[in-house]
């Protein structure tokens, strides 16, 4: 069985090992390190790579990964689980999306893969993580979320053939619907699309809600669903739970607010919306109604801004387009 | 008979009806005015002047929405006295979703420790001065809206300063009727609008409702507005029987407990829970997800506020405990 070495974590068959991976230097010269856990079974098999907090304040995924790891018996694995629950750790420490040490390059880590060894800070972090991911991973699950606790959907790398096919099988095993099989011209620089282009089936789970806006139920349930993905890819020799067919969307529309002010949403995640339908209302600071905001497209709500205050141009709603139920769970 | 004029910034009320305007509380670094919204709703009959304000701490939004809801329910023809509402006091902090003004420099900038303010002080002191002047001139009663971290925050304080002011403050707190209530002794919360007003003879209470940022529910907001409406009934400003919320849990004081340990944290208690010294408040985990110790209660009482996690740093507020609860 091949040894997997990621930073100070060096795999050993039949046990769980924890270590740290240096991804960059901090301004005081200390290492910027992120946690790595490798759980390797006694038998050969796939390498399921899990990571979270690519966006620092999307904590729910880190909690799901950790709850899943606590439930794993290393002796029962076929193959390996590699977990990096906090990729963008300095952003997580500050409860923000991007690293506070990033300067000029905006620093969205999920637009920086496969990274660049001599790029900006976030490019360099992307490069370090990607080097290991590409060498070892046979499957990737990347955890993200949007604003509210009811965020529940998924994306898979849509690269034709095995990548799309296996990605959708993983998405079905996780069982969040809707799901976007992501066209290859979308989300460039995401770990998911970089993995897909390198032939690694990849799934993004959007679960929970940013900051503390997630529930213990989502974590518990997410860990169960993740275990089902481990069964599906063959890391665990257990029967895969059938969550039914996915609702596939063809793409998504980000809607930015045309107004600023106090916002009260009128829709929830998972709800269908029609183009022109009211998705929420703006009020001024005196408490008087300013205007209704309307859906720019027909589809299903993937994310909604809970308010209570929004500047003009903030993301108001994220709509999955052309939702349709899979004809069979084999598409 | 001409009514006494009530002037708060550009909101000028001389007769029954609704007036809105803005109050200038400072100047921004580019020279433009820092202004906050004011709404005055005046009834056809003279009576109390109930002053409502929210977002003294900029990210405690639930109070703003409770005040807005209350304003939408008021009809001048059915109102005795006047409601003066300033739903977003610390407007620049409000805009940024943070507790204190981003323009405050050296003085800490907790607006609720800077009343009655200082016309020549730092930004937050000057803001407090501009707000307190009309408050002191016009208000006969004050309700100040705050909150803590999670959506289940629901408690209140009133100025237990004795005399008529203390009694009237308690009457408001009982009409609001949150079960967890602190009769706040005059020795605490110096510089708060609550204590400053009470010492000037204006009965005052603080409502802690909702959860900061977006962490409040529409139910908490509507319930808060219903309870606020009950204060208006208790003060004789609107008609209707005063709802009796029954016995309340009064505290002797509260204890703020800071975290002396950081990391991933998951709470195991909710606001309103009874705890004993040594009760488990939550579980710490390390970055690898391994259990890393429990947080224990240093004192017994009722949970008023608890840190929601998911990450906590040294010195952050872990828990806020109401001490010595007794039914009154």
């Amino acid at each position: 069985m091949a040894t997997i070495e990621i930073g100070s974590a060096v795999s050993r068959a039949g046990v769980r090992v924890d270590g740290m991976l240096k991804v960059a230097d901090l301004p005081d010269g200390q290492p910027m390190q992120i946690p790595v856990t490798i759980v390797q079974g006694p038998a050969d098999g796939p390498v399921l790579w899990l990571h979270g907090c690519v966006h620092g304040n999307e904590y729910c995924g880190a909690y799901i990964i950790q709850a899943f790891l606590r439930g794993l018996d290393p002796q029962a694995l076929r193959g390996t689980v590699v977990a990096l629950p906090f990729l963008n750790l300095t952003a997580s420490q500050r409860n923000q999306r991007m690293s506070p040490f990033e300067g000029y390059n905006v620093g969205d880590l999920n637009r920086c893969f496969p990274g660049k060894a001599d790029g900006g800070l976030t490019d360099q972090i992307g490069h370090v993580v990607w080097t290991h991911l590409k060498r070892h991973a046979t499957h990737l699950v990347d955890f993200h979320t949007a604003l509210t606790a009811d965020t529940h959907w998924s994306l898979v790398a849509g690269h034709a053939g095995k990548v799309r096919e296996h990605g959708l099988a993983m998405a079905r095993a996780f069982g969040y619907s809707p799901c976007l099989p992501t066209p290859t011209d979308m989300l460039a620089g995401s770990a998911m699309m970089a993995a897909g282009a390198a032939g690694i089936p990849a799934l993004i789970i959007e679960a929970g809600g940013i900051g503390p806006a997630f529930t213990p139920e989502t974590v518990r349930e997410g860990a169960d669903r993740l275990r089902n993905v481990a069964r599906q890819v063959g890391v665990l020799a257990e029967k895969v739970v059938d969550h039914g067919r996915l609702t596939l969307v063809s793409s998504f529309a980000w809607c930015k607010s045309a107004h600023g002010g106090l916002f009260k949403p009128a829709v929830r995640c998972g709800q269908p919306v029609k183009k022109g339908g009211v998705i929420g209302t703006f009020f001024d600071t005196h408490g008087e109604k300013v205007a209704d905001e309307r859906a720019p497209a027909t589809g299903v709500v993937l994310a909604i801004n809970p308010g209570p205050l929004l500047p003009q141009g903030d993301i108001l709603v994220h709509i999955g387009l052309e939702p349709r139920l899979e004809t069979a769970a084999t598409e | 008979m001409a009514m006494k004029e009530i002037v708060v910034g550009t909101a000028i009320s001389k007769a029954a009806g609704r007036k809105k305007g803005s109050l200038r509380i400072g100047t921004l670094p580019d020279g433009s005015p820092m202004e906050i919204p004011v709404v005055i709703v005046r009834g056809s009959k003279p009576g109390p002047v109930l002053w409502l304000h929210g977002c003294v701490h900029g990210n405690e939004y639930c109070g703003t929405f409770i005040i807005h809801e209350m304003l939408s329910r008021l009809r001048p023809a059915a109102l005795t006295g006047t409601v003066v509402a300033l739903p977003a006091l610390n407007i620049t902090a409000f805009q940024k979703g943070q507790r204190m003004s981003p323009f405050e420099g050296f003085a800490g900038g907790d607006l609720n420790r800077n009343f009655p303010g200082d016309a020549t002080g730092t930004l937050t002191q000057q803001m407090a001065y501009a707000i307190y002047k009309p408050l002191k001139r016009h208000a006969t009663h004050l309700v100040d809206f705050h909150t803590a971290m999670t959506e289940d925050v629901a408690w209140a304080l009133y100025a237990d300063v004795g005399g008529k002011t203390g009694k009237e403050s308690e009457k408001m707190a009982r009409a609001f009727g949150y079960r967890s209530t602190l009769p706040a002794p005059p020795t605490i919360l110096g510089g708060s609008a609550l204590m400053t007003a009470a010492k000037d003879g204006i009965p005052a209470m603080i409502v802690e409702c909702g959860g900061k940022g977006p962490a409040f529910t529409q139910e908490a907001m509507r319930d808060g507005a219903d309870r606020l409406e009950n204060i208006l009934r208790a003060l004789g400003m609107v008609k209707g029987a005063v709802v009796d919320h029954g016995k309340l849990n009064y505290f002797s004081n509260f204890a703020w407990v800071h975290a002396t340990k950081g990391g991933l944290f998951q709470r195991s208690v909710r606001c309103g829970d009874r705890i004993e010294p040594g009760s488990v408040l939550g579980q710490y985990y390390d970055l690898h997800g391994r259990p890393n110790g429990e947080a224990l209660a240093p004192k017994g009482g009722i949970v008023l506020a608890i840190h929601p996690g998911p990450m906590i740093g040294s010195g952050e507020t872990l828990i806020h405990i109401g001490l010595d609860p007794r039914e009154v």
Side-chain angles (χ1 to χ4, degrees), chain B residues 7 23 86 92 94 104 111 114 142 187 201 206 232 251 274 299 320:
Chain B
V7 181
L23 173 67
L86 290 83
T92 54
F94 181 83
E104 176 61 54
L111 180 54
N114 278 299
L142 164 67
T187 49
I206 287 177
L232 270 76
F251 307 114
R274 175 86 205 217
K299 286 181 174 158
H320 194 185

Side-chain angles (χ1 to χ4, degrees), chain B residues 62-92:
Chain B
C62 188
T64 301
F65 285 82
I66 292 174
I67 293 171
H68 283 173
E69 172 69 17
M70 188 71 245
L71 289 172
S72 75
R73 296 182 190 181
L74 290 178
R75 301 283 170 268
L79 182 68
T80 297
T82 306
V83 170
V84 177
L86 290 83
L89 283 198
N90 201 341
I91 192 78
T92 54

Side-chain angles (χ1 to χ4, degrees), chain B residues 17-36:
Chain B
R18 185 180 296 254
K19 293 283 181 189
K20 61 176 192 172
S22 56
L23 173 67
R24 182 177 181 143
I25 56 169
T27 304
L28 292 165
D30 64 353
S32 58
M34 185 190 290
E35 293 175 324
I36 61 174

Side-chain angles (χ1 to χ4, degrees), chain A residues 236-251:
Chain A
L236 282 173
E238 298 169 355
K239 193 171 160 358
V240 180
V241 175
D242 182 6
H243 289 295
R245 285 182 283 170
L246 298 169
T247 296
L248 300 181
V249 296
S250 63
S251 185

Side-chain angles (χ1 to χ4, degrees), chain A residues 128-164:
Chain A
V128 173
V129 172
W130 175 252
T131 304
H132 292 284
L133 195 165
K134 188 179 176 210
R135 182 178 312 142
H136 300 296
T138 62
H139 301 77
L140 164 67
V141 186
D142 178 7
F143 285 86
H144 288 257
T145 189
L147 302 157
T148 55
D150 57 352
T151 304
H152 292 116
W153 65 289
S154 68
L155 306 86
V156 300
H159 302 77
K162 169 180 97 79
V163 168
R164 176 184 156 109

Side-chain angles (χ1 to χ4, degrees), chain B residues 251-321:
Chain B
F251 307 114
S252 64
N253 205 335
F254 51 61
W256 284 106
V257 181
H258 299 284
T260 51
K261 172 172 169 159
L264 278 66
F265 179 73
Q266 249 178 332
R267 67 166 165 157
S268 52
V269 296
R270 292 183 58 81
C271 294
D273 283 358
R274 175 86 205 217
I275 52 170
E276 306 300 332
S279 291
V280 176
L281 304 175
Q283 173 73 49
Y284 282 101
Y285 296 94
D286 68 15
L287 278 176
H288 292 97
R290 292 184 185 272
N292 189 26
E294 290 171 330
L296 304 179
K299 286 181 174 158
I302 302 281
V303 179
L304 301 178
I306 176 81
H307 197 292
M311 289 175 108
I312 183 168
S314 290
E316 284 189 51
T317 301
L318 175 67
I319 188 171
H320 194 185
I321 306 169

Side-chain angles (χ1 to χ4, degrees), chain B residues 102-223:
Chain B
F103 297 105
E104 176 61 54
F106 300 101
D110 188 333
L111 180 54
N112 214 30
R113 300 293 178 275
N114 278 299
F115 286 100
D118 180 346
T120 61
T122 64
L123 170 66
T124 306
Q125 290 166 348
Q126 292 194 37
M127 285 160 49
Y129 181 82
I131 293 159
Y132 194 69
K133 241 172 82 171
L135 192 165
K136 188 180 173 185
R137 181 177 314 139
H138 299 297
T140 64
H141 298 78
L142 164 67
V143 184
D144 178 7
F145 288 87
H146 288 256
T147 188
M149 296 164 279
T150 56
E151 80 293 338
D152 52 351
V153 173
W155 67 288
L157 309 81
Y158 72 84
D160 190 23
V161 293
K164 202 170 145 266
T165 304
K167 262 212 181 82
E168 192 78 355
S169 300
E170 183 175 14
K171 182 166 135 189
M172 290 198 293
R174 287 199 165 269
F176 198 85
Y178 269 166
R179 181 158 171 77
S180 293
T181 293
L182 172 66
T187 49
I188 68 170
L189 293 175
S192 63
L194 173 95
M195 281 305 170
T196 308
K199 284 169 187 172
D200 280 330
I202 302 164
M205 74 171 292
I206 287 177
V207 172
E208 301 268 346
C209 175
K212 66 182 184 179
F216 65 90
T217 63
Q218 295 303 308
E219 294 68 44
M221 186 276 287
R222 267 193 298 274
D223 177 64

